[in-house]
Amino acid sequence: YSNFIDDLRVYVRGGTGGMGYPNLGGEGGRGGDVWFVARERTTLKSIREKYPQKRFVAGAGANSSVKALKGEKGKDCEVHVPLGISVLDDDGKQIGELNAAGERFLAARGGLGGSLATNFLPCKGQRRSVHLDLKLIADVGLVGFPNAGKSSLLSKISHAKPEIANYAFTTIQPELGKIMYADYKQISVADLPGLIEGAHANKGMGHKFLKHVERTKQLLLVVDISGFQLSIKTQFRTAFETILLLTKELELYKEELVTKPALLAINKMDLPCAKDNLDELMTQLENPQDFLHLLEEEMIPANTLEFREVIPVSTYTGEGIEELKTCIRKSIDEQAEQVNEEYRKKKLLLLQTSK
């Protein structure tokens, strides 16, 4: 994944409490806490560079004294983390997540100060190692096999400038771009490393790619109209077979991914025979059940993706790019309206039941 880091293991320790003062029943201050705070324009790479030891320890509580029977609380330690972080313990169990700027997670609690209950001896703070697991948050995630033209498409529809070349694995780290509309509406699009067959089993970039798809609101499948072949050792796949295989990889990784709203961009329409291939593909998409025999049984997905729109495009000539941007906007707006409608219905139901 080169310079991109999407998993970081760190050690956190809450501060030790302060000593109590037995003679006058004084109570030591509680140790400081370690907090993870979500902040924009922060990366796991910057955390690793700034704190190479990857240790975060909060301040100790102040001892009780004649001047101050109640000791002051130790200083909290705040660690700024990117949006889209899942906090996992060493067993891989999720213990928290941070998706919006300003959200906080208590990573390690400080120890209690010495008091009558503890024989005036302080307690140590909580200590543990945790994993910060990053999943990119974007409105739309580009899904496709290598060399389908995802990077080219992202550069055409947004202001992102990903690396583009005529070989399979150009994208080796996620790339985020924003589509800017005339009314200043912005939609974020993530170009993610190309899937290969077997990605669900962590082949190629497997899980490193697929986990980022989880946080996107919608999928945009990008398929080469002329088909796909990774190398001379692998089988050639038509555009229709490619769509089914992509669906299968998403389904095997996590079934919920197939339920996301999806659009389909058919790329490289400037190639010879593209029109004939497109006509054949549209026929296959209208009645996919009639063509499932083209694939081996284990490669057929249990559920085929329902595409809201199918848009033929050419990143070389610019054909269909504006139409695609319009379709993305329409689809995102419709989904937002649907979510708002469901929220309004829930509110109304709560009001009716409370009455």
Side-chain angles (χ1 to χ4, degrees):
Y1 242 162
S2 69
N3 293 323
F4 184 79
I5 300 171
D6 55 8
D7 181 74
L8 193 66
R9 187 172 182 263
V10 298
Y11 173 79
V12 289
R13 192 180 85 206
T16 307
M19 290 287 289
Y21 195 73
N23 295 356
L24 298 171
E27 198 175 300
R30 200 165 72 80
D33 304 317
V34 180
W35 292 88
F36 293 142
V37 184
R39 179 177 276 189
E40 290 176 350
R41 290 188 287 278
T42 302
T43 63
L44 291 181
K45 186 185 176 189
S46 66
I47 296 173
R48 193 178 70 174
E49 286 172 351
K50 195 174 179 182
Y51 307 99
Q53 300 295 320
K54 295 179 286 185
R55 289 171 60 87
F56 301 98
V57 181
N63 294 334
S64 172
S65 64
V66 177
K67 291 180 181 177
L69 287 178
K70 173 73 176 172
E72 282 191 16
K73 183 178 182 290
K75 189 179 179 185
D76 287 349
C77 172
E78 287 196 353
V79 186
H80 294 134
V81 298
L83 277 57
I85 284 285
S86 295
V87 186
L88 314 173
D89 62 16
D90 262 347
D91 297 327
K93 183 186 172 189
Q94 184 171 313
I95 52 177
E97 61 178 2
L98 301 153
N99 293 325
E103 283 187 355
R104 298 164 67 83
F105 172 76
L106 181 58
R109 193 181 292 278
L112 294 172
S115 63
L116 185 62
T118 62
N119 205 20
F120 299 100
L121 294 173
C123 300
K124 288 183 177 179
Q126 185 182 11
R127 59 184 70 195
R128 59 181 170 181
S129 291
V130 294
H131 288 264
L132 300 176
D133 188 43
L134 175 68
K135 292 174 185 170
L136 285 180
I137 298 175
D139 295 314
V140 180
L142 300 183
V143 179
F145 282 141
N147 218 26
K150 299 188 304 301
S151 297
S152 302
L153 189 62
L154 184 69
S155 68
K156 287 283 183 185
I157 62 175
S158 77
H159 294 292
K161 291 180 173 56
E163 186 181 340
I164 298 162
N166 191 26
Y167 53 87
F169 288 102
T170 319
T171 306
I172 53 171
Q173 63 186 51
E175 188 86 38
L176 268 175
K178 276 190 166 37
I179 308 176
M180 309 286 285
Y181 291 91
D183 61 353
Y184 302 107
K185 164 94 174 176
Q186 295 183 19
I187 290 177
S188 56
V189 183
D191 172 21
L192 305 154
L195 278 173
I196 61 169
E197 289 178 43
H200 70 276
N202 217 6
K203 284 185 184 175
M205 296 187 178
H207 291 178
K208 277 187 179 292
F209 162 85
L210 285 163
K211 73 173 188 178
H212 292 299
V213 182
E214 289 180 56
R215 291 281 175 93
T216 57
K217 293 177 188 172
Q218 300 198 2
L219 306 178
L220 173 58
L221 266 69
V222 185
V223 172
D224 186 334
I225 189 59
S226 56
F228 168 71
Q229 187 173 20
L230 184 62
S231 70
I232 53 169
K233 294 178 184 176
T234 58
Q235 199 172 336
F236 172 79
R237 301 294 187 188
T238 65
F240 178 68
E241 290 171 340
T242 302
I243 293 164
L244 292 179
L245 287 168
L246 286 170
T247 307
K248 184 70 174 177
E249 291 303 332
L250 294 171
E251 186 180 79
L252 287 171
Y253 177 72
K254 197 165 270 191
E255 277 186 52
E256 303 92 87
L257 295 182
V258 187
T259 63
K260 284 180 183 282
L263 299 170
L264 175 62
I266 310 294
N267 193 20
K268 305 190 182 178
M269 286 303 295
D270 53 284
L271 295 176
C273 303
K275 185 74 176 68
D276 295 338
N277 290 342
L278 180 65
D279 292 340
E280 184 186 352
L281 176 62
M282 294 307 286
T283 306
Q284 291 168 326
L285 288 173
E286 280 169 22
N287 300 292
Q289 300 302 323
D290 298 344
F291 299 93
L292 294 181
H293 64 273
L294 297 170
L295 274 175
E296 297 88 338
E297 198 173 326
E298 66 273 11
M299 292 183 173
I300 299 169
N303 299 292
T304 49
L305 273 170
E306 293 288 328
F307 296 111
R308 292 187 169 197
E309 298 277 355
V310 178
I311 310 101
V313 299
S314 167
T315 54
Y316 182 71
T317 64
E319 175 196 340
I321 297 297
E322 286 306 314
E323 186 192 344
L324 176 62
K325 286 164 73 171
T326 306
C327 289
I328 292 171
R329 169 74 183 265
K330 183 184 166 198
S331 186
I332 290 288
D333 287 348
E334 281 174 1
Q335 188 183 10
E337 185 53 43
Q338 196 178 338
V339 170
N340 288 341
E341 187 59 37
E342 285 170 9
Y343 177 75
R344 283 196 291 269
K345 281 179 182 174
K346 278 182 186 175
K347 278 283 191 185
L348 193 61
L349 193 64
L350 281 169
L351 282 168
Q352 287 168 348
T353 50
S354 62
K355 283 176 184 177

